[in-house]
Amino acid sequence: MLLGPSGVGKSSTALAYMVAALARGERGLILSFDEPTGILLRRAAGLGMDIREPIAEGRLRVEQIDPAEVSPGELAAMVRHAVEDEDVRLVLIDSLTGYQSAMPGEQYLLLQMHEILTYLNQQGVTTLLVLAQHGLLGQMSSAVDLTYLSDTVVLFRFFEAAGRLRRAVSVVKKRVGPHEDTIRELRIDGGGFRVGAPLVGFQGVLTGAPHLASAGTRIAV
Ligand SMILES: Nc1ncnc2c1ncn2[C@@H]1O[C@H](COP(=O)(O)OP(=O)(O)O)[C@@H](O)[C@H]1O
Ligand SMILES: [Mg+2]
């Protein structure tokens, strides 16, 4: 699960995982609830990830889904078809927030999600779930807590430093085994994105308004 506020880079990061899977020769499916395919392609190209070729070759399928028109049952069938008939190994649901609006209620969403994820797990398929949180800086929340369904949760945050809006990324959960506990800077630009060194000079990055950890520490701007 990729969790964080709007515009922080969740979809782009998820897409980078998808591009890596495609490069390994795997097939992928993107269920896009939040944005038209054209926007997705344009942003991907701007970040140095051209996915038009794998789409044309049938290695990647992008389904733009209007929650008002597709029932939860149809969605589940779409996923099963992709796995069983097209040998898809990586499914990206972007976003659960959009998926949720296709559901009649929260309990229903949890049951549906649980069923789909259990199925994909049993098939050995990796699922990337994007979940947007309310708010841009500071305290944040999601309408529904789905983190318990995820094996790994990557948290994205904006923070403010030296007159710039910056991004931080950290792993907050991995169901099996240890994981890195540092908070690192994430930079997104035309060359793609880069994960920087741990933000050891700051205290309170996850609050959105950090201060310097100790006097004399230099901030890398
Ligand atoms: N070509 C680009 N160059 C620089 N920054 C970009 C580019 N494309 C997107 N971005 C940045 O990425 C952000 C969108 O990232 P996205 O993955 O869509 O976020 P999220 O899915 O978390 O809402 C934009 O707000 C912009 O800051
Ligand atoms: Mg997004």
Side-chain angles (χ1 to χ4, degrees):
M1 171 173 287
L2 301 103
L3 185 66
S6 189
V8 81
K10 303 180 297 298
S11 298
S12 309
T13 306
L15 198 63
Y17 284 113
M18 182 59 82
V19 167
L22 293 168
R24 286 196 301 268
E26 295 176 15
R27 288 170 184 266
L29 169 69
I30 300 179
L31 299 180
S32 178
F33 291 88
D34 298 357
E35 51 200 12
T37 309
I39 301 258
L40 197 157
L41 292 177
R42 230 171 50 216
R43 191 185 51 238
L47 293 170
M49 300 185 280
D50 200 343
I51 52 172
R52 275 169 296 200
E53 200 176 297
I55 291 175
E57 292 170 358
R59 295 186 286 121
L60 172 64
R61 195 147 60 82
V62 181
E63 292 285 355
Q64 187 187 326
I65 292 167
D66 179 351
E69 289 184 356
V70 182
S71 73
E74 284 174 290
L75 276 176
M78 212 180 270
V79 169
R80 279 177 186 270
H81 167 71
V83 172
E84 286 161 25
D85 303 327
E86 296 174 351
D87 195 28
V88 157
R89 307 306 296 159
L90 184 64
V91 174
L92 164 58
I93 299 181
D94 191 359
S95 70
L96 274 177
T97 324
Y99 188 89
Q100 188 183 5
S101 53
M103 302 286 154
E106 179 177 320
Q107 205 51 38
Y108 200 75
L109 168 78
L110 296 179
L111 287 173
Q112 278 283 328
M113 235 24 252
H114 192 266
E115 193 180 319
I116 289 190
L117 292 178
T118 304
Y119 166 76
L120 289 169
N121 239 350
Q122 282 167 353
Q123 303 292 317
V125 174
T126 305
T127 313
L128 298 169
L129 303 170
V130 170
L131 184 60
Q133 291 182 296
H134 295 299
L136 288 174
L137 279 170
Q139 190 65 36
M140 254 165 252
S141 64
S142 351
V144 29
D145 186 6
L146 279 162
T147 53
Y148 72 95
L149 289 180
S150 314
D151 293 330
T152 302
V153 178
V154 181
L155 180 72
F156 296 81
R157 279 288 177 267
F158 284 117
F159 68 101
E160 177 205 325
R164 273 187 47 223
L165 196 54
R166 296 164 69 164
R167 295 172 164 92
V169 62
S170 50
V171 176
V172 293
K173 171 183 175 181
K174 182 177 167 196
R175 212 189 281 280
V176 196
H179 61 83
E180 184 170 327
D181 59 2
T182 54
I183 302 167
R184 291 175 182 263
E185 180 162 16
L186 176 72
R187 289 191 184 210
I188 306 181
D189 56 38
F193 37 90
R194 283 158 289 154
V195 176
L199 289 160
V200 289
F202 293 102
Q203 196 75 46
V205 167
L206 297 186
T207 66
H211 54 267
L212 289 180
S214 57
T217 313
R218 291 221 325 259
I219 316 177
V221 179

